[in-house]
């Protein structure tokens, strides 16, 4: 057979494709779950309250299967009272492209003729049942339940109940379900992202009304654009404080869209635009009337939202005290949008003392060649980034010991076995003696000697870590 | 509250419609009235008078309420403040440039900025947005909050935006200058990228003027081509004066300042010291390494004995 080409199955690729299809299926209902029943690809959609939008259940099924087919996917779809019944019918009763709607109460007859494997993913149990002549679901349904449960486990009877509609197992949606959703399906696809923006603006207005009725403001929202060819563009936006200002929302969406360096490819256009509220918080209706400082703070929060939408929130940071005594972890950067807590303690600087910490800290300590009077003495001159500095004034040392409780236990070493340079140890594990120095031209630096002479190393190394004002 | 009193004073002092118009413009926060060279001598004097009275009447904390009558931040050094135009300090709605020669001088640059911001934060509410390009952070390190606190600037007031390119920095700065909730916007762009030209800085200056905000353009190793900034300060390190109880050690942070461009006043060289505890600048006596000022250059005694202005050849010229 010379034409036969063997291709290895690609589970990860299949999974990605299924997720993309699931994304696309969001257009029918926000409640889409991935179905990994017995290792076969499937999707479960909760369409409660949805079909009338698409001309009834049968029309909805047909539409889904037809649209998937035009994108090259063979599918079958069934609607039933429980996910298990729909799954069993779609997988085992329908051919490619098939569609069936099972009316409420008809589940039993619909699944009775199907193989047991349609509701039970446990292969060995299915085989054991088959040896007893119980091959079809109908065979099991005729048997007394207590006996089946005793012999084959309670979950088998539960699966039977699910299949015939006696027990419901809700679909687990793969995406968070939005609080409020506004969407528009234009008659003709929108050819451009800017057209979508116009639609999104009116969606934002209707969401703002909905939020106002609930006395809420938006914290997080997602907008999604469905391309005609089946791919979905989804982006999230967030606000620093609850808001239902449609103009602000539109602005954030705009920033987000414009931040895309490559731009969003509209393909053949977009046929569905949706804006969903993912998180909302109470917002006092009178809060629109701010004054003074409050207004300034609200303005600033909006600025942070806008910059964050374009630059990415993590790039806007406030400093919070870190939990470590090491200078490099003395401060941690937190996203600017998040609420203030663990604020920096407000202390007046000590009177008549030069600042103890530098204004700038280098990303990592940079090695410097240093001349000191003694191996453990004060620095006299040093070379940093190819320039030589004569030390005029010096204060120190300030000893910053490594946080021994975070380090592995190392046995003590004798002097002759000691490493020459501290690199052999570890910068994080060496004791540091910090010095504030001022050089001849009035520049001030923070330098340290790493490694205790005679105890940790025979040749301490010097580093420049910070720059003083 | 205070606005009304200022208005009454302005009306009472002068007479006629022109004074009233100026007072109204001032209350509405239109700084152009005062920086416009065509305004005339009289209006300028009135502004200065109300400014001094304000200091007597309500010490500190009200600058934000009447942006046009008081500077956003001053040095507290009359000899220096007076060069910055009638308001005596950095006026609201203006863009200023602070440069240093080399990246190893970034400490002095940030020190001077932090000191200015510490003074500003005392009298103006709101957050300070510090925009920096990633390259600036890699070259000279990030801001170290404990160091800022030790310098007298509350790190809680600061929000840092680290952006990828100078273009992003300028875009973010324009947005930030428009926002009335910012106390000041620092734009740190190292070197001399082409986008940082007259047009871009003029856009920043216009945004600042429209919103009455303060923009501080920090340029490490910036050559200082033509920009739309009102002033340009060149900052360098200066040997500190040790404290008497520890002569070998370091003193308070000290800087060499050159006001090398000033649209509203004279230029000059200064050596100053920063006291983080009191958030105060002090002028230093001549540094041994610097050229000694000739006594003839000393200004009137009103400025105090510690002033060291050696007026440069450009003194008195208006450079825009």
């Amino acid at each position: 057979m010379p034409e036969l080409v063997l291709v290895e199955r690609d589970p990860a690729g299949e999974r990605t494709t299924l997720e993309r299809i699931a994304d696309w299926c969001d257009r029918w209902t926000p409640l889409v779950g991935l179905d990994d029943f017995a290792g076969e690809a499937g999707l479960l959609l909760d369409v409660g309250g949805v079909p009338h939008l698409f001309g009834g259940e049968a029309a909805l099924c047909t539409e889904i299967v037809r649209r998937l087919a035009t994108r090259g996917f063979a599918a079958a779809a069934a609607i039933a009272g429980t996910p298990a019944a729909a799954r069993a019918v779609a997988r085992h009763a329908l051919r490619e492209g098939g569609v069936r709607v099972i009316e409420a109460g008809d589940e039993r007859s619909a699944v009775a003729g199907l193989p047991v494997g349609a509701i039970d993913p446990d292969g060995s149990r299915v085989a054991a049942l088959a040896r007893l002549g119980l091959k079809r679901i109908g065979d099991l349904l005729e048997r007394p339940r207590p006996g089946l449960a005793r012999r084959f486990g309670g979950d088998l009877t539960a699966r039977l109940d699910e299949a015939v509609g006696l027990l419901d197992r809700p679909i687990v949606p793969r995406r968070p379900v939005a609080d409020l959703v506004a969407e528009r399906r234009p008659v003709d696809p929108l050819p451009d992202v800017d057209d979508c923006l116009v639609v999104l603006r009116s969606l934002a207005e209707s969401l703002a009304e909905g939020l106002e009725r609930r006395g809420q403001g938006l914290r997080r929202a997602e907008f999604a654009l469905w391309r005609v060819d089946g791919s979905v563009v989804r982006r999230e936006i967030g606000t620093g404080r609850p808001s239902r200002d449609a103009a602000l929302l539109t602005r954030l969406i705009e920033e987000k869209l414009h931040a895309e360096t490559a731009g969003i490819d509209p393909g053949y256009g977009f046929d569905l635009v949706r804006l969903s509220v993912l998180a909302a918080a109470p917002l006092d209706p009178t809060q629109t009337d701010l004054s003074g400082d409050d207004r300034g703070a609200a303005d600033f929060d909006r600025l942070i939202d806008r910059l964050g939408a374009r630059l990415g929130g993590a790039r806007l940071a406030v400093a919070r005290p870190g939990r470590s005594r090491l200078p490099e972890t003395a401060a941690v950067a937190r996203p600017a949008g998040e609420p203030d807590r663990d604020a920096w303690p407000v202390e007046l600087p000590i009177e008549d003392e030069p600042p103890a910490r530098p204004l700038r800290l280098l990303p990592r300590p940079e090695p410097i060649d240093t001349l000191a009077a003694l191996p453990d003495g004060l620095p006299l001159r040093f070379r940093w980034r190819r320039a030589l500095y004569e030390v005029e004034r010096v204060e120190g040392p300030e000893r910053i010991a490594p946080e021994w409780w975070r380090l592995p236990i190392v046995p003590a070493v004798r002097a002759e076995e000691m490493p020459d340079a501290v690199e052999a140890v570890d910068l994080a594990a060496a004791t540091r003696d910090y010095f504030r120095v001022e050089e001849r031209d009035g520049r001030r630096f923070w330098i340290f000697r790493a490694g205790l002479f005679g105890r940790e190393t025979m040749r301490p190394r010097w580093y420049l870590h910070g720059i003083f004002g | 509250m205070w606005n009304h009193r200022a208005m009454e004073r302005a009306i009472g002092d002068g007479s006629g419609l022109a004074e009233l118009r100026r007072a109204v413009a001032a209350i509405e926060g239109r700084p152009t009235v005062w920086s416009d060279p065509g305004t005339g001598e009289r209006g300028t004097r009135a502004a200065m008078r109300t400014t001094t009275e304000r200091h007597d009447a309500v010490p500190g904390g009200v600058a934000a309420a009447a942006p046009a009558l008081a500077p956003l931040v001053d040095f507290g050094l009359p000899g220096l403040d007076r060069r910055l135009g009638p308001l005596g300090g950095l006026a609201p709605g203006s863009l200023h440039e602070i440069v240093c020669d080399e990246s190893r001088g970034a400490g002095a640059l940030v020190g001077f900025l932090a000191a200015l911001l510490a003074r500003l934060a005392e009298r103006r509410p709101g957050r300070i947005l510090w925009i920096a390009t990633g390259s600036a952070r890699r070259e000279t390190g990030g801001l170290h909050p404990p160091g800022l606190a030790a310098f007298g600037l509350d790190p809680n007031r600061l929000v840092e935006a680290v952006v990828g390119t100078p273009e992003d920095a300028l875009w973010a700065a324009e947005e930030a200058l428009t926002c009335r909730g910012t106390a000041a916007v620092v734009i740190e762009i190292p070197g001399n990228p082409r986008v940082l030209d007259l047009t871009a800085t003029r856009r920043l200056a216009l945004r600042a003027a429209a919103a009455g905000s303060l923009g501080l353009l920090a340029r490490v190793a910036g050559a200082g081509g033509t920009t739309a900034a009102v002033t340009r300060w060149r900052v360098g390190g200066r040997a500190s004066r040790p404290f008497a109880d520890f002569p070998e050690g370091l003193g308070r942070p000290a800087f060499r300042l050159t006001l090398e461009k000033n649209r509203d006043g004279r230029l000059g060289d200064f050596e100053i010291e920063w006291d983080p505890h009191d958030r105060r600048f002090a002028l230093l006596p001549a540094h041994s390494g610097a050229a000694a000022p000739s006594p003839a250059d000393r200004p009137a005694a009103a400025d105090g004995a510690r002033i060291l202005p050696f007026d440069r050849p450009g003194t008195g010229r208006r450079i825009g």
Side-chain angles (χ1 to χ4, degrees):
Chain A
M1 285 188 289
E3 292 91 17
L4 188 69
V5 180
L6 272 177
V7 179
E8 202 159 326
R9 192 172 173 180
D10 172 14
E14 281 178 18
R15 176 88 186 177
T16 318
T17 310
L18 187 63
E19 296 215 344
R20 295 230 326 258
I21 297 174
D23 265 356
W24 175 81
C25 281
D26 266 8
R27 62 186 292 121
W28 313 109
T29 166
L31 297 161
V32 178
L34 290 180
D35 185 26
D36 51 0
F37 186 81
E40 291 296 324
L43 294 174
L44 292 170
L45 278 63
D46 187 336
V47 293
V50 171
H52 71 276
L53 298 171
F54 304 96
E57 292 181 338
L60 174 61
C61 274
T62 314
E63 178 75 356
I64 292 175
V65 170
R66 186 187 64 79
R67 283 194 177 236
L68 279 171
T70 60
R71 284 163 184 77
F73 297 107
I79 293 184
T82 61
R87 175 204 290 134
V89 171
R91 284 185 190 282
H92 294 272
L94 297 177
R95 290 162 177 279
E96 191 178 296
V99 158
R100 185 176 303 167
V101 175
I102 298 134
E103 298 300 331
D106 291 350
E107 287 89 358
R108 197 180 175 95
S109 56
V111 299
L114 302 178
V116 176
I119 56 162
D120 190 1
D122 183 345
S124 59
R125 186 161 61 190
V126 173
L129 287 164
R131 279 197 295 279
L132 298 172
L134 302 170
K135 293 182 178 168
R136 313 235 153 241
I137 296 171
D139 300 337
L140 292 179
L141 289 172
E142 287 161 9
R143 300 273 148 181
R145 294 294 166 89
L148 277 179
R150 208 165 42 240
R151 179 100 188 256
F152 297 103
D155 67 312
L156 179 65
T157 53
R159 287 184 181 279
L160 275 175
D161 289 342
E162 285 167 22
V164 299
L166 295 174
L167 191 67
D168 194 13
R169 187 193 293 239
I171 292 168
V172 182
R174 51 189 286 277
R175 311 183 60 82
V177 180
D179 280 0
L180 269 177
V181 174
E183 63 181 33
R184 187 156 301 165
R185 294 163 199 267
V187 182
D188 291 316
L190 302 168
D192 205 2
V193 175
D194 284 341
D195 301 317
C196 295
L197 206 55
V198 176
V199 174
L200 281 166
R201 182 172 302 137
S202 72
L203 295 180
E205 275 159 17
S206 59
L207 277 190
E209 281 169 27
L211 285 166
E212 184 157 21
R213 274 195 299 275
R214 294 169 164 216
Q216 286 184 321
L218 174 145
R219 288 301 306 270
R220 266 183 329 116
E222 182 194 71
F223 62 94
L225 313 172
W226 274 260
R227 245 162 61 165
V228 175
D229 64 7
S231 68
V232 185
V233 178
R234 276 178 209 282
R235 299 290 182 270
E236 211 175 286
I237 52 173
T239 59
R241 59 174 64 193
S243 162
R244 48 172 179 260
D245 179 353
L248 167 71
L249 279 183
T250 316
R251 187 110 195 250
L252 291 178
I253 293 168
E254 209 169 339
E255 297 295 357
K256 198 83 190 174
L257 286 173
H258 288 166
E260 312 260 329
T261 43
I264 290 169
D265 177 14
Y268 296 107
F270 301 96
D271 62 354
L272 171 59
V273 180
R274 180 186 290 161
L275 184 61
S276 330
V277 178
L278 297 183
L283 177 64
D284 191 357
T286 59
Q287 211 167 322
T288 46
D289 183 31
L290 294 173
S291 58
D293 284 5
D294 271 357
R295 180 178 283 283
D299 263 3
F300 190 81
D301 286 347
R302 274 198 288 277
L303 170 71
I304 292 300
D305 294 343
R306 217 155 57 227
L307 298 185
R310 170 119 160 212
L311 305 172
R315 295 183 145 224
L316 288 153
V318 289
R320 298 277 175 250
R323 304 219 181 280
S324 157
R325 297 186 312 120
L326 284 180
E328 43 272 60
T329 43
V332 290
R334 302 291 312 156
E338 82 178 18
D340 291 349
R341 54 165 182 252
D342 300 335
W344 212 271
V346 180
E347 289 166 5
L348 264 186
I350 307 159
E351 208 170 352
D352 293 342
E353 278 260 336
R357 288 288 178 271
L359 286 174
R360 286 184 180 270
L361 202 68
L362 294 178
R364 59 181 53 85
E366 294 183 12
I368 50 174
D369 294 326
T370 305
L371 178 74
L374 291 165
D376 54 354
L378 296 174
L380 299 178
R381 70 171 68 101
F382 62 92
R383 188 181 292 279
W384 174 57
R385 293 184 181 173
R386 293 194 296 281
L388 193 66
Y389 298 92
E390 297 283 341
V391 174
E392 288 278 305
R393 308 191 162 278
V394 57
E395 269 188 53
E398 177 188 349
R399 180 157 297 176
I400 298 183
E403 298 181 317
W404 52 266
W405 57 94
R406 292 176 199 237
L407 297 174
I409 296 166
V410 185
V413 283
R414 285 194 314 242
E416 55 270 27
E417 294 166 359
M418 229 169 258
D420 265 358
V422 80
E423 282 115 323
V425 188
D426 175 13
L427 202 50
T431 304
R432 301 177 187 180
D433 278 338
Y434 276 90
F435 295 88
R436 289 174 268 176
V437 298
E438 181 176 287
E439 55 89 43
R440 190 162 287 168
D441 292 332
R443 299 186 189 92
R444 287 166 283 274
F445 298 104
W446 207 32
I447 67 177
F448 70 87
R449 184 178 52 216
L452 284 183
F453 175 71
R455 277 171 56 195
E456 290 175 3
T457 176
M458 293 312 287
R459 237 179 57 196
R461 289 289 310 260
W462 287 83
Y463 293 84
L464 192 144
H465 202 178
I467 306 175
F468 283 99
Chain B
M1 266 303 288
W2 178 78
N3 283 340
H4 296 295
R5 281 164 48 198
M7 192 162 77
E8 278 162 22
R9 229 179 267 134
I11 298 165
D13 278 351
S15 53
L17 202 57
E19 290 286 352
L20 181 61
R21 280 214 184 101
R22 284 190 195 102
V24 170
I27 287 157
E28 286 173 355
R30 281 189 275 136
T32 45
V33 172
W34 307 114
S35 56
D36 181 3
T39 307
E41 188 60 21
R42 204 166 152 209
T44 311
R45 246 193 289 121
M48 285 184 67
R49 189 160 53 235
T50 38
T51 306
T52 28
E53 280 173 18
R54 180 190 68 81
H55 282 303
D56 299 341
V58 193
V62 290
L69 289 181
L72 281 184
V73 58
D74 62 12
F75 291 87
L77 304 171
L80 219 158
D81 287 329
R82 202 176 286 171
R83 291 175 193 235
L84 298 171
L87 294 187
L90 304 186
S94 59
L95 178 73
H96 302 269
E97 203 179 341
I98 296 151
V99 300
C100 69
D101 294 325
E102 300 161 300
S103 64
R104 59 187 182 148
L109 178 106
V110 176
F112 178 60
L113 261 173
L116 271 182
L117 293 173
R119 283 184 74 80
L120 175 90
E122 256 184 337
R123 45 160 84 185
R124 190 169 151 95
R127 302 276 207 125
I128 297 159
L129 185 69
W130 190 304
I131 303 162
T133 58
S135 61
R137 287 285 174 268
R138 282 190 296 278
E139 179 73 11
T140 50
L143 295 174
H144 191 47
L148 294 171
F151 223 76
L153 176 60
D154 178 5
N156 297 307
R157 296 284 295 275
L158 205 66
V159 176
E160 258 193 287
V162 180
V163 301
T165 61
E167 286 87 347
D168 278 348
L170 290 170
W171 171 81
E174 277 191 37
E175 293 284 321
L177 285 169
T178 318
C179 168
R180 286 178 191 276
T182 43
V185 182
V186 180
I187 310 116
E188 187 185 349
I189 300 179
N192 300 288
R194 193 176 300 164
V195 291
L196 191 62
D197 58 5
L198 185 61
T199 315
T201 50
R202 189 172 284 151
R203 286 174 65 99
L204 294 180
L206 287 174
R207 294 287 182 114
S213 48
L214 182 68
L216 299 168
L217 190 56
R219 302 182 60 192
V220 173
T226 317
T227 67
V230 177
T231 62
R232 179 161 62 235
W233 304 81
R234 191 166 292 278
V235 190
R238 187 218 186 263
S240 60
R241 295 186 309 165
F243 295 102
D245 57 346
F246 189 32
E248 300 82 27
L250 281 69
R252 296 194 179 104
F255 312 103
R256 257 182 310 110
L257 274 185
T258 303
L259 179 54
E260 60 178 32
K261 171 185 165 185
N262 182 11
R263 207 166 60 196
D264 294 332
R266 292 182 299 158
L267 309 178
D269 285 326
F270 312 90
E271 301 200 2
I272 57 170
E273 187 180 77
W274 170 245
D275 179 349
H277 179 266
D278 292 341
R279 297 195 183 113
R280 250 206 306 250
F281 287 110
L283 279 164
L284 290 176
H287 179 212
S288 53
S294 79
D297 280 346
R298 286 190 183 278
D303 281 358
R306 303 173 82 188
I307 290 172
L308 178 78
F310 6 169
D311 291 348
R312 288 148 51 90
T315 300
R317 265 193 295 147
R318 298 176 72 87
I319 298 176

